[in-house]
Amino acid sequence: MTMLLANIKKELLLLSRDRMSLLVLFVMPMLLVLILSLVQDDLFRATGGAATTALFVNRDEGELGGELEKSLQGNGALDLVQSLNGEGLDIKSARQAVFEGDFQFAIIVPVAFSAEINKSAETAVKSALRHQQKIPFSSKITVIFDPAVRGVYRSAVLNALQLGVVGLELSRKGAAFERLLPQELQRSMGQQLGALAPSGSQPELPKISFNWTEQSLIELNEELASPEKYATLPTSVQQNVPAWTLFGMFFIVIPLAGTLIRERQEGTLTRLMTMPVSNGSLLLGKVVAHLLICLIQFGLMLLVGRFILPLLGTPVLELGSDPVALILVAVSAALAACGFGILVGVVARSYDQAAIFGSVSIVIAGALGGVMVPVYVMPRFMQDLSIFSPLGWGLEAFLDIFVRNGTVVTVFPQVIALGSFFLLSIMIALVIFNRWRRGH
Amino acid sequence: MKQVENPTILATENLHKIYRGAANPAIDGLALNVSKGSIFGLLGPNGAGKTTTISILCTLLQPTSGRATILEHDVVGDAAAVRRKIGLVPQDIALYASLTARENLRYFARILKVEKALIKARIDESLELVGLADCADQPISTYSGGMKRRANLAVAILHHPAILFLDEPTVGIDTQSRSLILENLVELNRRGMTLIYTTHYMEEAQQICDEVAIIDGGRVIACGEPRQLIAAAPESKNLEGLFLQLTGKQLRDRME
């Protein structure tokens, strides 16, 4: 125990002397979480995780432009902006904002939109009742796109807009039908009965109500393919903050492996190997010191998610209801990262090897584990592979806590998996270390 | 030079070491006997097998065959007991450069299992001996080459080892520092510590060693008191002359 404490103290002392590295260890992961969460927030929105922001220029002199706006806002797919810097939008300023990349879309509703739609609806109903030809488009809504916008993003906006326009058309056609059908029946009956038509009084026609847009006949029942796995989907922050936090924590692998390699290169490890100190104590001293660093990193990154990201427009990170489970997952993830760091430090022959192998393997494990793209949007084949990623285990456990109010029991399998990964890494490292020490 | 008649503290019998893939053995039947309380010089040209021998004796390397004992503990079978009895001054400055000398010594004292109550006194004693007491609280990275070598020595003697291995402890330092280190070694030996000393500086070996073994090709080619060895080779005026006579003048550059 004395040896272990001596080794922990030495490691902490060495870390504290390298202030620049310490700054990098704490500041870089925070920046990573901050920047990548913001960048990914945009992607998350594009893939349906949140509303898309678009400029909305309503030039309509009637009421239908406003109705369209309410309809678009109401379905939750679009978040409409109608003024910039306190000033109302016109076509020129909207086009300029999209051109400059401040917004990706602008929806322009023309001046005579209401008049044209009402007129067209009436024409369309009349044509239908009289079996006449299809009528041409009568009004045009313009959507200005940033050319750099991805297809999926563009489709999301067009679909939302199409939904709003169809609803509007249906309501106007319904209203025209309500009004025109009795007139048309009167007219038709008059023509057919001719002189037989009763004079002085009109026949009583049934009253028609066409309020169909608010009465859906078909209910859309959203059901996830794996409800037991993805019962509730996370917000962008709930997905991104734990994902990039884990990614940042696992980068402890490089400085940790570096301490072992430096000791080997500078000869201190050789000296230590001639002393009555156990291999376990040497390696565990490094693990414990770097575990503390990881946990401080974790705390700082959660603070970023809880207090700094919301200032930049993202939702607040909700931490779930079981802090013990949260700490347990954080410690087991940090242990897994430190165990892997020790293994890399023992296997790699130079700092360059450790840095390249360590960082590439973390990026691969991060990609497989759903750090860059959530596992539920990956192809099935990749979803199956994600079970091999320690970052994936950690992320799933964090999502269980943040999104599904998971408890210690819920995250127990992931904690066991992360703990086992740590033990396996340390055991392999110890076998190699013992071989060195036995002078093979 | 004192007369050495003490019991054997270190012995090797028919020690062999062949590195994987090497054509020739690094050590080829090495047999040594070192008396307790002596300063024993292990001399030889580059690639002669000095560092391999020291590494085996310090439990860093296993021999391919043969046996080595320190205070009757087998260096392979009883490595843990051997590690408690030995100290090593490696050729590298094996210290943490960002820590101060005192912090380095405190850490290594705990690793060397120096009793907690004795740690401070042992640190002060070691620093005093190597002349670093006044700058003990400066980081090692700020030290000159000679100071680093002395700090390297201070760590190895913290636990009062029975036997101290020194792998070229004076390489690359100025005359003053070298002189001080040699004085320190003689003082440590006077206090009862056995020293196994490798160096390329023959005048140093002649000056402080009670006994030397000249090895080449992994074998002992001469062993005895320096004065007697020189006397037995009339054409050699000193140890350096004898060394060149025995090992030749050709360069020994060797790819590892």
Side-chain angles (χ1 to χ4, degrees), chain B residues 2-236:
Chain B
K2 65 181 177 283
Q3 192 65 37
V4 179
E5 292 175 356
N6 291 335
T8 299
I9 190 169
L10 182 156
T12 68
E13 292 168 29
N14 201 23
L15 207 60
H16 286 81
K17 178 68 189 178
I18 304 172
Y19 288 107
R20 197 176 297 163
N24 298 311
I27 299 177
D28 190 10
L30 193 79
L32 293 173
N33 268 291
V34 178
S35 302
K36 191 176 177 188
S38 67
I39 302 180
F40 188 92
L42 200 56
L43 312 176
N46 288 336
K50 302 186 298 293
T51 300
T52 301
T53 305
I54 295 265
S55 296
I56 290 172
L57 296 172
C58 290
T59 77
L60 289 169
L61 206 56
Q62 285 196 358
T64 308
S65 64
R67 187 160 187 262
T69 57
I70 289 175
L71 286 165
E72 298 184 348
H73 297 292
D74 188 283
V75 297
V76 178
D78 202 1
V82 170
R83 286 176 190 140
R84 283 194 289 272
K85 305 286 182 191
I86 64 169
L88 169 69
V89 182
Q91 204 177 114
D92 296 320
I93 305 296
L95 299 168
Y96 296 100
S98 60
L99 304 189
T100 66
R102 196 182 299 282
E103 286 166 343
N104 269 285
L105 288 167
R106 193 176 296 128
Y107 167 64
F108 283 110
R110 292 178 75 182
I111 294 298
L112 287 162
K113 296 185 176 174
V114 176
E115 271 182 58
K116 204 171 178 182
L118 293 178
I119 287 179
K120 189 181 177 306
R122 290 287 181 87
I123 291 172
D124 289 342
E125 178 194 43
S126 297
L127 287 168
E128 198 65 48
L129 183 82
V130 300
L132 290 174
D134 292 342
C135 47
D137 296 311
Q138 299 296 317
I140 295 290
S141 57
T142 62
Y143 282 14
S144 68
M147 290 163 81
K148 285 177 185 169
R149 290 258 161 229
R150 276 143 56 201
N152 213 23
L153 171 62
V155 168
I157 57 175
L158 273 167
H159 57 311
H160 291 180
I163 184 163
L164 180 65
F165 293 91
L166 301 113
D167 193 1
E168 301 187 35
T170 58
V171 73
I173 56 173
D174 63 20
T175 309
Q176 286 78 5
S177 286
R178 185 188 297 181
S179 168
L180 183 61
I181 285 176
L182 293 179
E183 280 175 27
N184 294 158
L185 296 183
V186 172
E187 173 59 21
L188 288 169
N189 179 248
R190 196 188 57 74
R191 294 180 190 179
M193 202 178 287
T194 305
L195 309 182
I196 310 290
Y197 184 71
T198 78
T199 183
H200 286 294
Y201 302 120
M202 294 301 140
E203 72 280 8
E204 276 183 16
Q206 188 173 339
Q207 182 188 337
I208 68 166
C209 289
D210 302 309
E211 200 174 353
V212 297
I214 298 174
I215 61 173
D216 199 8
R219 292 184 195 154
V220 177
I221 53 173
C223 187
E225 288 181 33
R227 205 171 39 185
Q228 288 176 353
L229 290 174
I230 295 163
E235 60 274 35
S236 302

Side-chain angles (χ1 to χ4, degrees), chain A residues 240-263:
Chain A
N240 286 325
V241 171
W244 294 109
T245 297
L246 277 166
F247 194 71
M249 281 166 75
F250 265 79
F251 264 87
I252 200 80
V253 164
I254 295 163
L256 176 50
T259 66
L260 257 171
I261 291 163
R262 207 162 33 246
E263 282 190 341

Side-chain angles (χ1 to χ4, degrees), chain A residues 31 44 60 78 97 144 161 168 170 182 193 226 231 238-239 263 269 306 360 381 402-403 407:
Chain A
L31 281 175
F44 202 83
D60 185 23
L78 287 176
I144 301 168
L161 193 55
L168 203 61
L170 190 62
L193 293 175
S226 309
Q238 283 170 327
Q239 164 71 29
E263 282 190 341
L269 195 59
R306 189 125 179 101
V360 171
F381 169 67
F402 292 167
V403 183
T407 61

